Amino acid sequence: MFRNLFVAALALSFAGLSGCAHDKLLRLETKDFAASAKDSEVRGRAFYDDLIKNDRELWIALHQFDTNCKPHSMQPSFFRSDLPGRRLCDATPERPGQRPAFDLKRSDFAAEYAALAFISRYLTALSKAAADPELGAREDFVAAAGDLNLLLEVFRQQGIAQNRIDAVGDLLGLIEELAKEHRSAAEIRSIVAENRDATDKAFRQLILALKGDQHHQIALGSAKSALAIVADTAADGSLGAASRKRVIELHYADIDARQRTEDCGNSASADVYPEIGIGERDLCGFPEAGVMLAAWCSHRAFLDLIDGRMSKRQKARLIALKRENFRRIARLYLDIAGVF
């Protein structure tokens, strides 16, 4: 009778392996996704911070070159190519012309910063829900086995057979309780359910914004380089040694940039994501937007896992986790079997 109950308890424990392994997979995938997406969030924030920093540095350089050059937040200031000498700016009221810099402010990118902040909060919540570094209960199982052995020794001294049988049920209850990784898995599912639409929207918004705002970055870099070259130009128009060096550097930098973009276009997928109308190939030359796209794709795979769909990689990982749990519980039962 006892052995039959013991075998039944063993079978029930093995039957529970699948759910336990799936919950562990969810927690592992959560940690992986949060880590990779955090990089995209950091790079996106750095992109806009650097954009504003470079814009301000350009205004400082412009003002040193021509005191009439001041940010728009101080007074109207426009590029004037027709002014004599080394004057780039005119202090007169606003008139048609090309701005030498944008005078960018954080408020100009309020929507992008808000999206980045939301993603950061979302990732922080997911990371906390999957924070257990072991993602397992092996030590708890070992402790439970030791406690049960001690309990069975007491029962053996008292000669109460029924209590030994009850102890098997208690062991099963302990194992099931300790293996309930779905406590944190349920929290992960709850966090995702509350934020999935907003998160999807935030990722898409940032992908498009990071690509669209690239022209600011390119224009600022060109303006700063041109200003540095002009500053080293003699009255007769000849370039100094530093400017000649910089012209060659810019020439080769442009060649390298075009080659990287071409290589990316040859290797990137031509498929377009219908939700945003952009594919990998469209983001060649826009590294921050590309990293954000990768994070969004990772989030989609994460949502599929929660909805019960798994990629090949996730399926392989789940099989490995099932084997791990099987071996762990089998070892525990084999150790305890020697007590009876």
Side-chain angles (χ1 to χ4, degrees):
M1 176 64 178
F2 169 75
R3 290 189 180 278
N4 289 338
L5 288 174
F6 184 86
V7 172
L10 181 62
L12 285 172
S13 292
F14 289 160
L17 285 174
S18 180
C20 177
H22 193 278
D23 288 344
K24 184 185 290 187
L25 174 65
L26 177 58
R27 296 174 71 188
L28 285 168
E29 290 290 307
T30 299
K31 293 182 70 175
D32 290 350
F33 162 67
S36 61
K38 184 64 179 177
D39 178 58
S40 70
E41 184 267 334
V42 169
R43 288 185 62 168
R45 190 176 299 277
F47 175 87
Y48 287 108
D49 288 346
D50 192 56
L51 204 60
I52 294 168
K53 172 177 172 289
N54 282 323
D55 180 70
R56 292 176 178 177
E57 289 176 350
L58 178 58
W59 277 112
I60 292 170
L62 284 167
H63 187 65
Q64 290 176 322
F65 191 80
D66 179 356
T67 56
N68 283 326
C69 290
K70 296 179 182 179
H72 302 289
S73 52
M74 297 179 66
Q75 70 174 43
S77 179
F78 285 79
F79 181 77
R80 293 290 306 282
S81 60
D82 59 325
L83 294 176
R86 292 191 175 185
R87 294 185 60 194
L88 298 176
C89 300
D90 186 3
T92 57
E94 189 171 312
R95 65 181 65 185
Q98 182 181 356
R99 297 171 185 263
F102 299 101
D103 194 15
L104 300 176
K105 303 176 291 297
R106 288 181 67 90
S107 59
D108 294 330
F109 307 107
E112 288 82 350
Y113 276 113
L116 289 165
F118 169 78
I119 289 176
S120 179
R121 291 193 299 271
Y122 176 65
L123 297 177
T124 297
L126 288 177
S127 296
K128 288 181 178 179
D132 180 4
E134 297 298 329
L135 293 173
R138 180 175 182 180
E139 293 181 1
D140 292 326
F141 285 148
V142 173
D147 291 341
L148 183 59
N149 279 325
L150 179 61
L151 179 63
L152 290 177
E153 182 61 31
V154 173
F155 288 162
R156 193 177 285 112
Q157 293 175 5
Q158 294 178 351
I160 305 176
Q162 185 59 46
N163 283 343
R164 289 200 304 175
I165 296 175
D166 292 342
V168 176
D170 292 340
L171 171 63
L172 176 59
L174 279 172
I175 291 178
E176 290 179 337
E177 185 66 25
L178 293 172
K180 280 184 179 177
E181 293 170 354
H182 65 255
R183 287 177 172 174
S184 56
E187 186 179 357
I188 290 170
R189 293 186 180 96
S190 176
I191 293 170
V192 172
E194 292 175 3
N195 296 280
R196 64 186 301 160
D197 290 340
T199 306
D200 215 31
K201 180 180 178 181
F203 274 120
R204 290 199 302 267
Q205 173 188 337
L206 287 167
I207 293 166
L208 296 172
L210 284 167
K211 182 184 179 184
D213 291 329
Q214 189 82 22
H215 72 279
H216 288 307
Q217 188 183 60
I218 295 172
L220 285 174
S222 298
K224 289 174 70 175
S225 297
L227 188 62
I229 292 173
V230 171
D232 192 41
T233 305
D236 61 0
S238 61
L239 296 178
S243 288
R244 289 198 302 273
K245 176 176 179 290
R246 185 59 179 150
V247 167
I248 299 299
E249 289 175 344
L250 290 172
H251 168 68
Y252 284 118
D254 181 63
I255 291 176
D256 292 342
R258 283 189 278 111
Q259 185 62 53
R260 285 194 298 270
T261 300
E262 182 180 343
D263 292 343
C264 174
N266 292 332
S267 61
S269 171
D271 295 336
V272 174
Y273 296 97
E275 297 89 341
I276 54 177
I278 283 180
E280 293 178 7
R281 187 171 294 175
D282 298 314
L283 298 182
C284 290
F286 305 93
E288 288 79 11
V291 171
M292 196 64 66
L293 177 65
W296 180 53
C297 292
S298 178
H299 188 249
R300 284 160 54 111
F302 181 55
L303 295 180
D304 285 345
L305 173 62
I306 290 177
D307 292 338
R309 300 184 296 272
M310 286 184 286
S311 65
K312 290 182 179 179
R313 182 188 64 81
Q314 290 170 339
K315 288 178 181 178
R317 200 172 193 180
L318 179 61
I319 291 173
L321 290 173
K322 286 182 179 180
R323 289 172 177 167
E324 175 191 329
N325 283 352
F326 181 91
R327 288 193 296 267
R328 183 170 60 188
I329 294 180
R331 283 195 301 267
L332 175 60
Y333 268 105
L334 290 173
D335 289 343
I336 294 173
V339 175
F340 302 100

